[in-house]
């Protein structure tokens, strides 16, 4: 059952009455990797980096500990095989319609991003289009990275419908969900490259300089995505968890002060 808190409900009702144009940002939280604090920090960063009325809707299987100013909704239903039940394939459920009370252009943010600049331009850029970060490991390949994207609710519902009807065929043909989405969207627009960067693939100094130089934050950056490891809380203190000792020879990050400044 959805949990919708009073203050957020009043804000949404005012927007529907035309008192102002509400910007909607959504995130998803499932499983145990990211605690409620990640959602709360995301909301805090959103508030500091928007000048217009903005709400955050969190789709989750556990709303405990999430700020009362965040609108909490249950995870949308989707036909997921057990082996991918808690993987990013679950994000495909965002493409169904109707979806809660969402309408128009909606911005999606992963929980493990750090917001370092204004989010308002993400709502002004090519309105009505599907906009996404170009995947940093596949430049020029027409693949979006769904750490941060904006879609128009009710468009491209075939992304959800095809997967929901036959997930096994999709899983055989595509390695990850963002490749599948990129293949089905005819007109995909990439954000300006300086807006959205990858901590690991864009900013990290190349080996061996990552042992000597801290990760910089270029001017103009608005969102930093933390794909894989390290997570923001780990990179902040200079920790990069590794699964085997030999990876310590090249997987290293120095403490990153700008994360402390922005990720709060």
């Amino acid at each position: 059952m959805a949990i919708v808190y009073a203050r957020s409900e009043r804000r949404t009702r005012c927007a529907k009455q035309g008192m102002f144009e509400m910007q909607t940002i959504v995130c998803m939280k499932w499983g145990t990797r990211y605690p409620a604090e990640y959602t709360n920090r995301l909301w805090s960063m959103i508030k500091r980096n928007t000048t217009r009325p903005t709400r955050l809707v969190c789709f989750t299987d556990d709303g405990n500990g999430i700020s009362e100013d965040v609108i909490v909704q249950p995870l949308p239903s989707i036909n997921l095989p057990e082996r991918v039940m808690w993987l990013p394939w679950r994000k495909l459920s965002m493409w169904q319609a109707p979806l809660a009370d969402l309408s128009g252009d909606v911005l999606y943010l992963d929980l493990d991003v750090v917001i370092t600049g204004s989010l308002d331009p993400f709502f002004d850029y090519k309105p009505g289009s599907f906009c996404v970060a170009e995947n940093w490991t596949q430049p020029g390949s027409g693949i979006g990275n769904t750490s941060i994207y904006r879609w128009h609710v009710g468009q491209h519902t075939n992304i959800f419908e095809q997967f929901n009807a036959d997930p096994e065929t999709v899983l055989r043909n595509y390695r990850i969900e963002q490749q599948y989405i990129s293949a089905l969207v005819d007109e995909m627009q990439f954000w300006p490259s300086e807006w959205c960067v990858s901590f690991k693939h864009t900013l990290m100094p190349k080996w061996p300089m990552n042992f000597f130089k801290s990760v910089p934050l270029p001017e103009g950056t608005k969102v930093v995505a933390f794909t894989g490891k390290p997570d923001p809380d780990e990179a902040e203190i200079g920790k990069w968890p590794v699964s085997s000792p030999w990876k310590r020879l090249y997987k290293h990050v120095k403490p990153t002060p700008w994360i402390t400044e922005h990720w709060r």
Side-chain angles (χ1 to χ4, degrees):
M1 181 174 61
I3 305 171
V4 183
Y5 293 102
R7 272 180 281 179
S8 297
E9 190 174 43
R10 286 196 298 272
R11 199 163 54 235
T12 303
R13 185 169 60 250
C14 290
K16 288 181 177 178
Q17 292 171 351
M19 295 173 62
F20 46 71
E21 188 68 26
M22 176 69 72
Q23 296 179 157
T24 297
I25 299 175
V26 303
C27 66
M28 298 185 76
K29 185 179 86 71
W30 66 78
T32 58
R33 177 169 176 175
Y34 298 113
E37 181 61 22
Y38 264 71
T39 304
N40 295 339
R41 286 179 186 249
L42 182 63
W43 176 229
S44 179
M45 290 187 288
I46 289 170
K47 288 188 292 183
R48 291 197 307 275
N49 289 284
T50 51
T51 61
R52 306 166 186 164
T54 304
R55 64 174 183 161
L56 175 63
V57 180
C58 179
F59 292 90
T60 183
D61 58 339
D62 182 5
N64 290 323
I66 294 177
S67 168
E68 65 175 18
D69 286 334
V70 175
I71 300 172
V72 177
Q73 294 282 0
L75 290 175
S77 62
I78 186 172
N79 180 19
L80 285 171
E82 182 63 34
R83 69 184 185 279
V84 297
M85 183 68 67
W86 303 108
L87 297 181
W89 288 99
R90 178 170 288 278
K91 291 162 65 173
L92 295 179
S93 63
M94 292 289 97
W95 292 90
Q96 61 188 286
L99 181 62
D101 69 343
L102 305 189
S103 63
D105 284 347
V106 174
L107 184 67
Y108 175 92
L109 295 173
D110 271 348
L111 285 179
D112 58 349
V113 302
V114 174
I115 300 169
T116 60
S118 175
L119 296 179
D120 293 335
F122 288 97
F123 290 92
D124 299 332
Y125 188 77
K126 299 183 183 296
S129 300
F130 169 56
C131 300
V132 65
E134 183 175 18
N135 199 32
W136 303 284
T137 62
Q138 298 170 293
S141 300
I143 305 297
N145 185 288
T146 56
S147 295
I148 173 168
Y149 67 90
R150 195 199 68 217
W151 85 109
H152 193 88
V153 177
Q155 294 182 359
H156 307 298
T157 54
N158 58 315
I159 292 172
F160 168 77
E161 292 162 355
Q162 289 186 27
F163 181 89
N164 205 50
D166 186 8
E168 292 297 347
T169 295
V170 175
L171 292 170
R172 282 196 301 270
N173 291 327
Y174 299 94
R175 187 174 62 86
I176 53 177
E177 47 83 31
Q178 58 198 25
Q179 292 177 341
Y180 168 65
I181 293 172
S182 300
L184 266 65
V185 176
D186 293 331
E187 297 184 6
M188 182 168 53
Q189 304 291 336
F190 291 134
W191 304 119
S193 59
E194 67 273 16
W195 286 11
C196 308
V197 299
S198 164
F199 182 84
K200 185 164 57 177
H201 300 296
T202 308
L203 303 182
M204 179 76 67
K206 302 298 183 184
W207 183 90
M209 297 312 296
N210 57 316
F211 282 83
F212 306 101
K213 291 186 175 181
S214 297
V215 177
L217 179 66
E219 185 177 354
T221 301
K222 299 181 184 300
V223 177
V224 181
F226 286 74
T227 56
K229 288 289 186 177
D231 284 324
D233 59 325
E234 296 163 340
E236 180 181 19
I237 61 174
K239 177 182 178 182
W240 192 331
V242 295
S243 56
S244 61
W246 69 270
K247 289 186 177 181
R248 295 194 184 98
L249 297 175
Y250 64 94
K251 289 186 178 292
H252 178 82
V253 60
K254 292 180 68 64
T256 312
W258 58 260
I259 296 179
T260 305
E261 177 185 354
H262 295 283
W263 192 62
R264 56 183 175 82

